Amino acid sequence: MKVEFAPFNIPLARRLQTAAGLQWVLTFLLLGSVSVSKKSVSHVLSKEGGGNISVIVLGGAEESLEAHPGKFTLFIRQRKGFVKIALTHGAYLVPVFSFGENELFKQVSNPEGSWLRTVQEKLQKIMGFALPLFHARGIFQYSFGLMPYRKPIHTVVGRPIPVRQTPHPSPEQIEELHKTYMEELRKLFEEHKGKYGIPEHETLVFR
């Protein structure tokens, strides 16, 4: 297998950059990270002996553009591929939510329909990833920079959702399990939001 690294073009810092690049790649591989493609996830779940899990961040690039402090918008309504894979392999679904993630950075206002959002969405289609304009604090000052704010992140894990293995799930079965997953995720949020300072009227917004 051939692995190609991106070029490091600053001569004076080449050794340092190379070391940092290798460290990132090795960390990525040692953690067992793989592509989120159907083939990769199916490979992980079908390994001999069982006991393997896949952790998938569902929202993707679209969701990052909605990651503003105090907002809880999840792009999940059209994300059903993970449900189909779970049914195919009989893998339980476990809802997980992290409180505080959107508080680490502030993002420039980009409501839908604005010129900034339009540009971001067009670039996303071209490049395959989003470019949110964010800022937070500096290393030695708290006014401006790209270092995250010192805010806690609390990750809560819900009850596993039993999934009976169905080699060829129907659209109705996929839809039903997807609906159950969203319901359990909302219950998880509602159950814990008070502990982490989320106002009672706030709730998850599924898109």
Side-chain angles (χ1 to χ4, degrees), residues 135-151:
H135 63 88
R137 65 179 179 89
I139 298 177
F140 302 110
Q141 46 78 30
Y142 216 73
S143 301
F144 187 83
L146 298 180
M147 295 288 290
Y149 290 117
R150 296 184 180 93
K151 301 284 187 178

Side-chain angles (χ1 to χ4, degrees), residues 34-170:
V34 298
S35 163
V36 77
S37 68
K38 176 183 177 181
K39 182 178 180 181
S40 295
V41 176
S42 294
H43 172 72
V44 171
L45 295 177
S46 60
K47 282 186 177 180
E48 187 176 349
N52 299 293
I53 64 171
S54 287
V55 180
I56 303 175
V57 180
L58 299 173
E62 289 179 299
E63 192 172 289
S64 69
L65 297 179
E66 290 286 345
H68 293 272
K71 294 188 67 175
F72 307 97
T73 303
L74 304 181
F75 281 72
I76 190 176
R77 288 194 180 277
Q78 304 305 317
R79 307 288 203 268
K80 300 179 183 179
F82 74 101
V83 175
K84 184 176 181 179
I85 292 176
L87 283 165
T88 302
H89 294 276
Y92 283 25
L93 291 176
V94 182
V96 177
F97 188 85
S98 291
F99 291 90
E101 281 187 336
N102 288 357
E103 312 304 317
L104 297 180
F105 297 93
K106 292 180 180 178
Q107 187 174 171
V108 175
S109 179
N110 60 340
E112 290 190 352
S114 65
W115 69 268
L116 176 57
R117 186 61 166 267
T118 301
V119 171
Q120 288 174 321
E121 290 174 346
K122 287 183 178 179
L123 289 175
Q124 177 189 326
K125 291 179 180 179
I126 295 172
M127 300 184 297
F129 58 89
L131 292 173
L133 298 181
F134 63 91
H135 63 88
R137 65 179 179 89
I139 298 177
F140 302 110
Q141 46 78 30
Y142 216 73
S143 301
F144 187 83
L146 298 180
M147 295 288 290
Y149 290 117
R150 296 184 180 93
K151 301 284 187 178
I153 296 178
H154 303 279
T155 298
V156 293
V157 181
R159 293 176 290 274
I161 302 170
V163 178
R164 187 174 67 178
Q165 187 170 13
T166 309
H168 303 287
S170 66

Side-chain angles (χ1 to χ4, degrees), residues 10-49:
I10 304 177
L12 294 178
R14 183 171 295 150
R15 291 183 181 178
L16 181 60
Q17 288 179 315
T18 302
L22 289 174
Q23 181 184 31
W24 184 89
V25 172
L26 289 174
T27 301
F28 184 82
L29 295 175
L30 290 173
L31 287 175
S33 301
V34 298
S35 163
V36 77
S37 68
K38 176 183 177 181
K39 182 178 180 181
S40 295
V41 176
S42 294
H43 172 72
V44 171
L45 295 177
S46 60
K47 282 186 177 180
E48 187 176 349

